[in-house]
Amino acid sequence: MKKILPQPTVAKKPKQMEIHGDLRVDDYYWLNEKENPEVIQYLNDENTYFNEISEGTTPLQEELFQEMKSRLKEDDASVPVKKNGYFYYSRYEKGGQYPIHCRKKDTLENEEEIVFNVNEMAKDFSYYSLSSYQFSPNNRFVAYSVDTVSRRKYTIHIKDIETGELFLEKIENTSGPVVWANDNKTFFYTHKDPDDLRESKIRKHTLDSSAKEDIEIYYEADDIYNCYVSKSKSGKYIFINSYSTLTTENQYLNADTPHDDFTVFQKRTKGLEYHVKHSLGQFVILTNKDKASNYKIMTCSEDSTSKENWQTFIDHNKDTFIDDFIGAKNFIAIEERSNGLKKIRIVDLNKSTDFYINFDEETYDVSLSGNASFETETIRYNYNSFTTPNSVIDFDIKTKAKTIKKEQEVLGDKFKKENYISKRVWAKARDGKKVAISMVYHKDTVISKDTPFLLYAYGSYGLTIPDYFSSVRLSLLDRGFVYATTHIRGSQYLGKEWYEDGKFFKKMNTFTDFIDSAKYLIENQYTSPEHLYAQGGSAGGLLMGAIVNLNSELFNGVHAAVPFVDVMTTMLDETLPLTTGEYEEWGNPNEKEAYEYMLSYSPYDNVTKKDYPNLLVTTGLHDSQVQYFEPAKWVAKLRDFKTDNNLLLLQTDMEVGHGGASGRFDGLKDKARDYSFFIGLELDLL
């Protein structure tokens, strides 16, 4: 039963903003003043309100948390990966929030060497992220990067493994990863602008110098681009990669000569995307050259790299999207997607070997992972589905034999794969396109208009949400929920065109695809508006904001996580992180036509006096991708405008950013909070 409690209030301080002759008034613009005690007080008031309203679900949250935790193998370990003479793996100890990163020299029978015990490193911090670590080629030095604020600004530290000593030198404001040259004393890294967080500079550091002496070897002057540095799996080349949504440019350098200049691989040409790897004794390129919208693979010699020298290796296929590939010395392994489903294709230099690894389930996820070795005749991939826990599998290219290296354990006696049903249906969008909906539920769940149903989607940046296994999700399924992902436009589920149809001036397709998916489920009596729930985060939070403005009557409850809801104000503020680099995804609102289109769907700008469903909005104070004040403003405006008595809850984690809690158990508590919202509405606990 819903509690009647006084809702948090916040002052209106109108700010007028005018562009293209259009005047907008933002009553809550001032909530971006992070250091203002009034802002912090408002967020704390909303947190108190959330806690009071959610009090009836407190036992349920604890029950869910204990369930989720009980399914985990707490003393688990990853499958070792061989690289440069060592086997690397990570393991957890019972009760530990963080991993312990280890290695063994030559064979797995040798003594374990603990590289990092993150539990020890994190003990004095409320948030701790060890994002990456890279060893020098001689295995003596390791550079690792840490964020203790959750702002995704990483500080690089350097450790001498032989002595155990840390270098006094620290390098701040980086993206995290480093790339070592083959001289074992030089590495390259990406510097982030400390204010707008754009990854705009590549710098070079040597172990015997101060960070103040680091040389800036590249500056990306165009503010719609970012850049990063990488190294070929062969170890021969270092790449500087500049990219925007539509265009890429690479530079390369022999890793043996780190003090030489980088050479442009192919000069940037607007609309030309290419990604370079070194394999088969040459450069191998994934590209959209010659209007290859689903990409093709081309090759060129190491001496002639401009596009007129590229030769087709795997041609473009309008029905098959090339997601990615990995290169080894004698073959490449390609992740392809057709009709929404992934396959792995193996091809050698002469195409004497060219075959697919196919998979039989109706919907599943497979990905190439853990392939660190260049000199190999084996590939490793991860396979799982809505009903099948993850398996790590080694595949022998010559014999085609599969070796399962590890199967995910789901502890307890309740989980049995055969107790769950997974299937895929196709909803018809209003323009005739078919949208896939992948779903999973317990075999004892009766599908009807009374079935609780959680529909999830993202739908931006070409990101395709995989149909993956989750032991956490079992807590919903075992309580009679159906869980589904709808693969709406804006993803690349059906190829690059599917993405292009959900961005720029076609962005509305993303929102209407989700709505039409919901209508399909209701019309076919998978559920009803009284039992249909929606969830999305970040750009998926934008989706949630749009659908409740457009068709709020379809949903009983909606969870918007770190939602990008104040599209216009954010995209007009170039001082905010990530803004200018987003112009090629959403449009540049400084241009009138783009402004008017973006304004037509911006959730914050389209809040009206109407009924809204029950809403849970979650965010983090230190979020660098979607600033906390976007959801805070949205909730404040909704409180002022909405005409119903449904729940409106804002929960701000004052210690974290975009990705939520850093500890594995703290992350489960967040999931328990989210699930208790949906279950609580079904059981009238809220």
Side-chain angles (χ1 to χ4, degrees), residues 11 56 60 144 171 180 207 378 399 403 466 516 520 643-644 660 671:
L60 174 62
Y144 64 99
I171 306 171
W180 287 90
L207 295 185
T378 301
T399 67
T403 303
D516 293 341
Y520 171 89
T643 55
D644 57 82
K671 281 289 187 183

Side-chain angles (χ1 to χ4, degrees), residues 81 89 109 122 198 203 357 408 433 512 672:
V81 174
Y89 59 97
E109 285 68 42
R198 188 166 75 93
R203 291 179 173 171
I357 306 173
Q408 178 186 351
K433 300 284 188 179
T512 56

Side-chain angles (χ1 to χ4, degrees), residues 4 68 224 272 307 318 335 406 438 457 531 547 552 566 604 662:
I4 307 300
M68 296 169 182
I224 70 168
L272 175 65
K307 64 182 180 180
K318 66 181 181 63
E335 287 186 10
K406 180 182 178 181
S438 306
H531 301 283
I547 64 167
S552 59
D566 190 14
Y604 183 68
S662 56

